[in-house]
Amino acid sequence: MKTINLPTYGIVLNLTDEGGSIEGGELQDEAASPEYRAAIDGLLSVILAHACAGVDVESPAYLEGVEVAVDSIANEYGE
């Protein structure tokens, strides 16, 4: 198993040969609106899929993209 701790939002990925799992850290707010939570879940799923496919999710450009996506989600759903 390979663990990747992203410096953005406390995201932690655990990758195995069969796939993996992701923890959203500070992004997973149970008090947030259902729409916000669904959008964040979708983003986390894409990050996990990219990591499983071999995309360098630790690169500065990728992390900047994650931050822009989170900002857009927060702006859309008022979180």
Side-chain angles (χ1 to χ4, degrees), residues 43-62:
L43 175 60
L44 293 173
S45 294
V46 170
I47 294 169
L48 177 59
H50 285 164
C52 289
V55 173
D56 182 4
V57 297
E58 297 177 279
S59 75
Y62 192 89

Side-chain angles (χ1 to χ4, degrees), residues 2-72:
K2 177 180 180 182
T3 299
I4 301 172
N5 293 295
L6 298 182
T8 305
Y9 304 108
I11 298 169
V12 178
L13 296 108
N14 294 301
L15 306 178
T16 66
D17 292 336
E18 293 82 34
S21 64
I22 188 167
E23 298 171 23
E26 60 194 68
L27 293 176
Q28 293 179 310
D29 180 3
E30 292 300 317
S33 70
E35 295 84 2
Y36 173 85
R37 291 193 320 259
I40 290 297
D41 286 348
L43 175 60
L44 293 173
S45 294
V46 170
I47 294 169
L48 177 59
H50 285 164
C52 289
V55 173
D56 182 4
V57 297
E58 297 177 279
S59 75
Y62 192 89
L63 294 173
E64 183 177 349
V66 170
E67 290 174 2
V68 169
V70 170
D71 287 345
S72 295

